[in-house]
Structures are given as structure tokens and as C-alpha cells.
């Protein structure tokens, strides 16, 4: 499946289209398997999408059949302002009838390596994996950093080389901290990957990432689901340098 690129007028439109994608993916997974697995992205861009899901999809979605994981997490306590879990909890979980057992957060209370290992075993249990099976998320939401990173797969970081583990504690030199992140094998085994990119600050990197692969391959360019849909959703401002 090739790369789809959808450009919408602005951030509210981005959220509406993304929410509709979320609903479609949820309904087809639940119709097929009676549950839906989604990995959320962190950072600022998805916060308003999560709020929209809370406001407009509270009764429209069977939250008891939705299992939510995280594509990555900052190595901070769950109540810390930088916590992706805290952001998603404030914007979404605390407003919809999702059972606590359906929320799979990274336990950053542990040391980084133990947190990554525990999250991997949680994924293995959640998806009923055997041996070297990979979890197949129905939907993975991703963002794009201005250095071309996605999840917490940063340029030059060790996690880029990971080929077998599902989750790693990735040292991020520029932030002098660890991030817990899903690895490329997991991202590329998803049924659908949806990148959300908003704002003029992302125009240059989006042009480079969606343009022909240059000398250096950005981590976000390595997200190519082997048997899944890849959709880049961007607003006008983020897409303004893309050649149409
Ligand atoms: C994180 C994210 C990260 C994010 C990009 C874009 O934990 O920060 O998962 O990959 O998606 O950094 O972040 P913004 O949406 O804040 O620009």
C-alpha cells in the first residue's frame, strides 16, 4: 500500500478527519475481532484530537472494547506536565467510559530498562503473542518532530537499529534523558499508521520527509507498514511547501 497524503484547511479540520479515521478503524476492528487496539502519539499536536474524541465520541464509540497504548512516553512520572499519559488522561480518558484495564500506560515509576521490558510483556499479553510474533495495532497515531523523529525514534539514537524488541528505553542525547518507545518492527506491523502534522513550524521537515529520500533518511521515513495503510494528514500551514 502506498503513502496517502491528505491536506486539510486547518487544525480543527485535521482533528475532525483524524477522529473519523479513528472511528472507522475502531468500528471495523470491533466488527471483526470485538476489540480495537490503538497506540496514541504524544506531544502537543494530538491533544485537541483527544479532546474532540472526548467531546463528540463519548457515546458514539464502544469505549469498553477499545484498548489504548502509547507509541512512546517521556521518562517522567505519570502526573508530570511532560507525561504523554497525563496529557491523554486529561484530554480523553477522564471524560469517556473506558475501563482502567483498557489503558496500557508505560510505568515510568520503574527504571527505564524495566519500564520498557514491562511494557513489552504487557503488549505480548494484550495481543496474545507467541515467540517472535509482533503485535498488529489496528491504528497507530504518530507525530513528526522538527528533526524528523517520530514516536521517540530520534535521529542518531540506538533505537533506530532495533530489529526484534517491541519496546526499548532509548537514550536521547539532545534531551539528556531516556524515552520509552515502540520500535520500527511494531510500527511497521500495524494495520494503519496515521501521521498528524500541523502548523507552519512543520512545513520544512514535512517537505523533506515526504520529498525524495535525501542523504540522510529521517526516522519518520522508515515508517512504512509492510501490510498496512500509511496516511499522512496535514493542515495547509504544514503542507505549504509540498509541491502539489
Ligand atoms: C512525543 C511524541 C513525539 C511527537 C513529536 C511531535 O512524545 O513527543 O510522541 O514523537 O509526536 O515530537 O510533537 P508535537 O506534536 O508536540 O510537535
Amino acid at each position: 500500500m502506498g503513502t496517502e497524503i491528505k491536506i486539510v484547511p486547518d487544525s480543527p479540520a485535521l482533528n475532525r478527519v483524524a477522529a473519523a479515521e479513528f472511528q472507522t478503524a475502531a468500528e471495523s476492528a470491533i466488527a471483526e475481532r470485538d476489540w480495537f487496539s490503538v497506540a496514541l502519539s504524544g506531544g502537543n499536536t494530538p491533544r485537541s484530537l483527544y479532546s474532540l474524541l472526548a467531546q463528540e465520541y463519548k457515546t458514539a464509540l464502544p469505549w469498553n472494547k477499545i484498548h489504548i497504548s502509547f507509541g512512546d512516553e517521556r521518562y517522567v512520572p505519570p502526573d508530570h506536565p511532560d507525561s504523554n499519559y497525563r496529557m491523554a488522561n486529561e484530554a480523553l480518558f477522564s471524560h469517556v467510559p473506558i475501563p482502567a484495564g483498557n489503558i496500557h500506560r508505560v510505568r515510568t515509576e520503574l527504571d527505564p530498562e524495566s519500564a520498557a521490558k514491562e511494557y513489552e510483556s504487557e503488549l505480548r499479553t494484550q495481543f496474545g503473542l507467541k515467540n517472535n510474533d509482533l503485535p498488529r495495532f489496528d491504528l497507530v497515531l504518530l507525530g513528526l518532530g522538527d528533526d524528523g523523529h517520530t514516536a521517540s525514534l530520534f535521529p542518531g539514537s540506538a533505537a533506530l537499529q532495533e530489529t526484534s524488541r517491541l519496546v526499548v528505553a532509548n537514550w536521547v542525547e539532545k534531551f539528556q534523558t531516556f524515552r520509552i518507545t515502540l520500535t520500527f518492527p511494531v510500527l511497521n506491523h500495524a494495520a494503519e499508521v496515521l501521521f498528524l502534522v500541523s502548523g507552519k513550524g512543520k512545513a520544512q521537515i514535512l517537505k523533506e520527509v515526504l520529498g525524495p529520500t535525501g542523504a540522510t533518511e529521517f526516522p519518520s521515513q522508515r515508517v512504512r507498514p509492510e501490510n498496512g495503510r500509511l496516511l499522512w494528514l496535514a493542515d495547509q500551514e504544514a503542507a505549504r511547501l509540498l509541491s502539489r
Side-chain angles (χ1 to χ4, degrees):
M1 292 187 199
T3 301
E4 295 169 59
I5 304 169
K6 251 189 210 163
I7 299 167
V8 296
D10 51 27
S11 167
L14 193 84
N15 294 331
R16 281 195 303 278
V17 174
E21 289 287 341
F22 187 104
Q23 181 177 33
T24 305
E27 287 173 350
S28 70
I30 290 165
E32 202 181 312
R33 267 169 282 108
D34 205 33
W35 71 291
F36 170 59
S37 57
V38 58
L40 300 184
S41 57
N44 296 314
T45 305
R47 186 193 306 267
S48 48
L49 164 62
Y50 302 156
S51 301
L52 179 70
L53 287 169
Q55 285 146 23
E56 300 190 7
Y57 292 77
K58 185 172 184 170
T59 54
L61 283 169
W63 293 96
N64 62 323
K65 294 182 186 250
I66 295 179
H67 279 256
I68 296 184
S69 303
F70 287 85
D72 68 324
E73 184 57 281
R74 289 89 180 271
Y75 191 61
V76 294
D79 59 357
H80 188 281
D82 293 348
S83 163
N84 287 338
Y85 166 75
R86 174 176 164 176
M87 179 269 286
N89 186 40
E90 288 174 352
L92 178 59
F93 308 156
S94 55
H95 306 285
V96 296
I98 187 167
N102 287 25
I103 299 168
H104 308 276
R105 78 174 174 86
V106 177
R107 285 210 312 134
T108 49
E109 298 87 324
L110 305 172
D111 66 81
E113 193 50 32
S114 305
K117 284 206 170 91
E118 185 194 69
Y119 204 57
E120 174 153 341
S121 71
E122 169 133 359
L123 281 178
R124 291 188 175 286
T125 308
Q126 180 192 343
F127 285 87
L129 303 180
K130 290 188 287 310
N131 311 322
N132 301 329
D133 291 356
L134 291 168
R136 184 168 168 79
F137 278 100
D138 297 304
L139 180 63
V140 173
L141 299 178
L142 290 176
L144 175 64
D146 47 22
D147 60 359
H149 81 263
T150 191
S152 279
L153 299 165
F154 284 83
S157 65
L160 302 183
Q161 316 311 327
E162 185 56 53
T163 56
S164 57
R165 292 183 60 184
L166 311 182
V167 185
V168 294
N170 194 27
W171 176 255
V172 183
E173 192 61 30
K174 70 174 182 179
F175 297 143
Q176 288 292 300
T177 184
F178 281 98
R179 291 276 191 99
I180 313 299
T181 185
L182 296 182
T183 59
F184 284 123
V186 175
L187 301 180
N188 288 329
H189 200 62
E192 180 174 351
V193 173
L194 172 55
F195 277 93
L196 290 181
V197 189
S198 177
K200 58 180 178 300
K202 297 288 173 69
Q204 182 57 38
I205 189 63
L206 188 61
K207 175 175 172 257
E208 292 178 43
V209 165
L210 292 181
T213 302
T216 56
E217 186 178 37
F218 295 103
S220 45
Q221 289 177 311
R222 289 181 52 191
V223 178
R224 287 188 288 273
E226 71 252 355
N227 173 20
R229 185 181 181 210
L230 175 60
L231 173 59
W232 285 81
L233 205 46
D235 60 20
Q236 283 291 3
E237 285 203 327
R240 69 189 174 81
L241 299 178
L242 294 182
S243 49
R244 316 286 167 88

